[in-house]
Amino acid sequence: MPERLSVIFVGLGPIGQEAATLALKRSYLEVRGGVDIDPQKAGQDLGDLLGVGRRLGLNVTADLKRALAETSPDVVVVSTGSYFPQVYGQLMTVIEAGANVVSTCEELVYPWAGYPDQARQLDMLAQKHGVTVVGTGVNPGFVMDTMALFFSGICQQVRRVSAWRIVDAATRRRPLQEKIGAGLTPEQFRAAVEAGRVRHVGLRESAYLVAAGLGWRLTDYQETVEPVIASEPVSTEYVSVPTGHVAGVRQVGKGFRDGEPVVELTLEMYVGARNPRDVVTIDGVPPVEVEVPGGIHGDRATAAIVVNAIPRVADAPPGLLTMKDLPLVHLRA
Amino acid sequence: MPERLSVIFVGLGPIGQEAATLALKRSYLEVRGGVDIDPQKAGQDLGDLLGVGRRLGLNVTADLKRALAETSPDVVVVSTGSYFPQVYGQLMTVIEAGANVVSTCEELVYPWAGYPDQARQLDMLAQKHGVTVVGTGVNPGFVMDTMALFFSGICQQVRRVSAWRIVDAATRRRPLQEKIGAGLTPEQFRAAVEAGRVRHVGLRESAYLVAAGLGWRLTDYQETVEPVIASEPVSTEYVSVPTGHVAGVRQVGKGFRDGEPVVELTLEMYVGARNPRDVVTIDGVPPVEVEVPGGIHGDRATAAIVVNAIPRVADAPPGLLTMKDLPLVHLRA
């Protein structure tokens, strides 16, 4: 690893901005610029865009190739989309420029689940160019997958892995409250689910990542998306939910081996959730139950794990890797 | 990594035996023998000693060098002692034979804490011979150190790390109940502490491992060992503790930076402990609290993590490494 790792941020939405702001505080990182196609962002000084109180002399540009050529970064943080096909072309461009990738793209956490052929191509290209590509985040990337694998390390045997993430959406950003359908009628919710507008992306990837780590080949994966109906009125800064309307979503993903559900992931995100928490249980020897009371804050933690993963990704062997392949991603002051 | 990793077990006490028995069940491991200086064990067939119900055609010998020469193992599991100086010579022998090491030696979890010069020598020797040496276990090695570092990965900032491990010793083996002084009078306890007979080894190593991971240089480390006094009579299969006698031990380790305690580890092991659990809290951004209700079973889990670490250690770059340097240690079926 060189003394300082140079990094640029591609996609300067809330998560990209928070990660970039954090990276500026790390002495072993050198932030060299940002990329965003939003004309309101491109052309600004990165410091102005991030609101860090000073100009950085670093340009935000809409042109990824130019940014790569001008900054020659060791690592590129890509936070432009949740779906693998959305980021695939960008990843190709970054890899061909010889830079490593840390991305918050949900499906990149385990792209073999949905896109085995393209994942193989990406892996080959990364190996050819000697760079490493990893998708991470809090969910997927940590609470429902890597955390389960981490605790499997103290098990002699694992029969089944279950994880619950229960989020009180009232404490989160407006886009999240909208994404989970808070305030909709049950009919509107069903229509929104069918249109693909209400769904957490990455549950499937978490299930397959857990299975891959444990050496299990899933023979089937099933997912359901149901509304959580408000049993009393709930109001947040952004939305009012009358009794009988939708407070949010309950999404359940199940991975099967030979007809047996062996990975069960339950994600509940709704306004007014009582006792929000993250839980992993392992039916194994010894049995393990782990709880994070209150749950891990999605935005704070995703920005953190992205930045904390940078030195691990820069040091890792080349290829398309996953969180299970990296040395322990921990904070380094 | 070759198709199957060959492994021998040096030190066939309860943990070594449990790890060896587990290794026999892993298709990617090939157990080639065992070493123990106990004349009651040496000379037996390993299968007989482990009680697995069949002979394995594998010899238990008292002669480490001979076992290494005859089995040429990829990895050697060393479970012969808690103190670094106890295992140092054995590690040298194994390294010079060109084998990797996974050890339950508590001080090997972070030997730079107590033995910086010898740790450096061991590291150089391991690098010279192209092998990897790692100390692991549940405590130290997981609950109070690696687990804290794992959760720091979702933090933007960490100010202080605290961990508690509260074990109901009534559920554990007789040697543990004796080691914690259960049944002694307070005076006998103090004498036992002064004689070094009542003390968990590895708390210091956990504190330094956490600090090293976070990039903190500890300027001081302090440890206290106090009795937990029974407020009512407690009896186990092995010991009776009258009111006012010692139920067990409370050991607190504190690592300081510039006078501030930044790593605080509290280990309570006593018979009749209510609400046994493992807890890690991180005073940081975001704050994190993690709890394992009931606590992680020391023996089951130590045998597991040793075996689960074997492929990671075999694949790791050479040198004396720690749990923070390995790719995620998880179960692989």
Side-chain angles (χ1 to χ4, degrees):
Chain A
M1 197 168 76
E3 286 255 315
R4 292 182 83 195
L5 292 166
S6 57
V7 55
I8 68 170
F9 290 81
V10 178
L12 291 165
I15 295 291
Q17 288 195 30
E18 189 164 344
T21 304
L22 178 59
L24 289 169
K25 298 175 188 162
R26 292 279 195 269
S27 60
Y28 55 89
L29 297 180
E30 180 192 339
V31 178
R32 288 199 181 157
V35 176
D36 201 291
I37 54 168
D38 181 347
Q40 297 210 304
K41 293 173 182 168
Q44 284 196 52
D45 180 85
L46 183 62
D48 288 337
L49 177 62
L50 300 179
V52 294
R54 65 185 200 280
R55 297 224 156 165
L56 297 170
L58 299 171
N59 199 24
V60 176
T61 170
D63 187 339
L64 173 58
K65 278 193 183 166
R66 196 175 135 191
L68 289 165
E70 287 181 358
T71 63
S72 302
D74 296 311
V75 179
V76 176
V77 174
V78 176
S79 312
T80 54
S82 297
Y83 297 98
F84 186 67
Q86 282 180 306
V87 303
Y88 188 76
Q90 295 163 1
L91 298 182
M92 288 290 193
T93 302
V94 173
I95 291 167
E96 283 167 355
N100 301 287
V101 174
V102 179
S103 176
T104 58
C105 171
E106 279 85 344
E107 291 188 336
L108 193 65
V109 161
Y110 198 78
W112 297 272
Y115 313 89
D117 293 341
Q118 283 151 294
R120 265 189 294 274
Q121 280 171 19
L122 203 69
D123 181 41
M124 280 168 53
L125 194 71
Q127 293 202 34
K128 181 181 154 196
H129 288 272
V131 300
T132 310
V133 178
V134 173
T136 190
V138 157
N139 186 31
F142 192 85
V143 287
M144 304 188 91
D145 38 47
T146 310
M147 185 169 140
L149 287 175
F150 178 72
F151 283 95
S152 81
I154 51 156
C155 292
Q156 300 189 9
Q157 190 192 346
V158 173
R159 285 178 290 264
R160 186 186 295 213
V161 172
S162 307
W164 289 262
R165 178 164 169 80
I166 300 171
V167 176
D168 180 6
T171 64
R172 301 299 161 95
R173 286 181 285 132
R174 181 202 294 265
L176 181 76
Q177 296 185 23
E178 288 171 352
K179 197 183 85 170
I180 62 171
L184 300 182
T185 65
E187 293 70 33
Q188 290 170 326
F189 181 90
R190 270 186 279 278
V193 170
E194 274 172 31
R197 290 198 309 275
V198 170
R199 191 180 146 246
H200 165 75
V201 180
L203 207 60
R204 174 182 65 176
E205 284 67 24
S206 288
Y208 276 89
L209 176 54
V210 168
L214 297 176
W216 294 347
R217 213 186 130 266
L218 295 182
T219 47
D220 193 14
Y221 173 79
Q222 293 171 11
E223 196 170 302
T224 56
V225 182
E226 300 291 337
V228 176
I229 303 297
S231 55
E232 57 185 357
V234 197
S235 285
T236 75
E237 197 181 337
Y238 310 116
V239 68
S240 286
V241 183
T243 303
H245 279 220
V246 173
V249 65
R250 175 180 299 117
Q251 189 166 333
V252 179
K254 291 189 186 182
F256 295 81
R257 289 174 84 194
D258 306 322
E260 279 289 306
V262 289
V263 183
E264 295 196 328
L265 309 178
T266 303
L267 175 62
E268 296 185 358
M269 295 195 288
Y270 59 102
V271 296
R274 297 214 173 84
N275 191 14
R277 63 197 183 277
D278 295 316
V279 177
V280 165
T281 67
I282 298 176
D283 173 7
V285 179
V288 178
E289 182 181 339
V290 187
E291 179 165 347
V292 181
I296 292 168
H297 193 291
D299 290 358
R300 290 304 84 71
T302 292
I305 201 167
V306 162
V307 172
N308 292 333
I310 290 173
R312 294 313 204 179
V313 170
D315 262 1
L320 173 57
L321 305 184
T322 70
M323 284 296 284
K324 75 179 165 53
D325 310 309
L326 294 183
L328 206 67
V329 171
H330 56 76
L331 178 139
R332 210 178 91 204
Chain B
M1 195 168 76
E3 286 257 314
R4 292 181 85 195
L5 292 165
S6 57
V7 55
I8 67 170
F9 289 81
V10 179
L12 291 165
I15 295 292
Q17 288 195 28
E18 189 164 344
T21 304
L22 178 59
L24 288 169
K25 298 174 188 162
R26 292 279 195 269
S27 60
Y28 54 90
L29 297 180
E30 180 193 339
V31 178
R32 289 201 181 154
V35 176
D36 201 292
I37 54 168
D38 180 346
Q40 297 212 303
K41 294 173 182 168
Q44 286 197 52
D45 180 85
L46 184 62
D48 288 338
L49 177 61
L50 299 179
V52 294
R54 66 184 198 279
R55 296 224 157 167
L56 298 169
L58 299 171
N59 199 25
V60 177
T61 169
D63 187 337
L64 173 58
K65 277 192 184 168
R66 196 174 135 191
L68 289 165
E70 287 181 358
T71 63
S72 303
D74 296 312
V75 179
V76 176
V77 173
V78 177
S79 311
T80 53
S82 297
Y83 297 97
F84 186 66
Q86 283 179 307
V87 302
Y88 188 76
Q90 295 163 0
L91 298 182
M92 288 291 193
T93 302
V94 174
I95 293 168
E96 282 168 354
N100 301 286
V101 175
V102 179
S103 176
T104 58
C105 171
E106 280 86 344
E107 290 188 336
L108 192 65
V109 162
Y110 198 78
W112 298 271
Y115 313 89
D117 292 342
Q118 283 152 292
R120 264 189 295 273
Q121 280 170 20
L122 202 69
D123 180 41
M124 280 168 52
L125 194 71
Q127 294 202 33
K128 183 181 154 196
H129 288 272
V131 299
T132 310
V133 178
V134 173
T136 190
V138 157
N139 186 31
F142 192 85
V143 286
M144 304 188 92
D145 38 46
T146 310
M147 183 169 142
L149 286 174
F150 178 72
F151 284 95
S152 82
I154 51 154
C155 292
Q156 300 190 9
Q157 189 192 344
V158 174
R159 285 177 291 264
R160 186 185 296 211
V161 172
S162 307
W164 289 262
R165 178 161 169 82
I166 300 171
V167 176
D168 180 7
T171 63
R172 300 299 161 94
R173 285 180 286 131
R174 182 202 293 267
L176 181 78
Q177 296 186 22
E178 287 170 353
K179 197 184 85 171
I180 62 172
L184 300 182
T185 65
E187 293 69 34
Q188 290 170 326
F189 181 89
R190 268 186 281 279
V193 170
E194 275 172 31
R197 291 198 307 276
V198 170
R199 190 179 147 248
H200 165 74
V201 180
L203 207 60
R204 175 182 64 176
E205 284 66 25
S206 288
Y208 276 88
L209 175 55
V210 169
L214 297 175
W216 294 348
R217 214 186 128 265
L218 295 184
T219 48
D220 193 13
Y221 174 78
Q222 294 172 11
E223 197 170 300
T224 56
V225 182
E226 301 291 338
V228 176
I229 303 296
S231 55
E232 56 185 358
V234 197
S235 285
T236 77
E237 197 181 336
Y238 310 117
V239 68
S240 286
V241 183
T243 303
H245 279 219
V246 173
V249 64
R250 176 181 298 117
Q251 188 166 335
V252 179
K254 291 188 188 183
F256 295 82
R257 289 174 84 195
D258 307 323
E260 279 289 306
V262 290
V263 183
E264 295 197 327
L265 309 178
T266 302
L267 175 62
E268 297 184 359
M269 295 196 289
Y270 59 102
V271 295
R274 297 216 172 83
N275 192 13
R277 62 197 183 279
D278 296 315
V279 178
V280 164
T281 67
I282 298 176
D283 173 8
V285 179
V288 178
E289 181 181 339
V290 186
E291 179 165 346
V292 181
I296 292 168
H297 193 289
D299 291 356
R300 290 303 87 69
T302 292
I305 201 167
V306 162
V307 172
N308 291 334
I310 290 173
R312 294 314 203 178
V313 170
D315 261 2
L320 173 56
L321 305 185
T322 71
M323 284 295 285
K324 73 179 166 54
D325 309 309
L326 294 184
L328 206 67
V329 171
H330 55 77
L331 178 139
R332 210 178 90 206

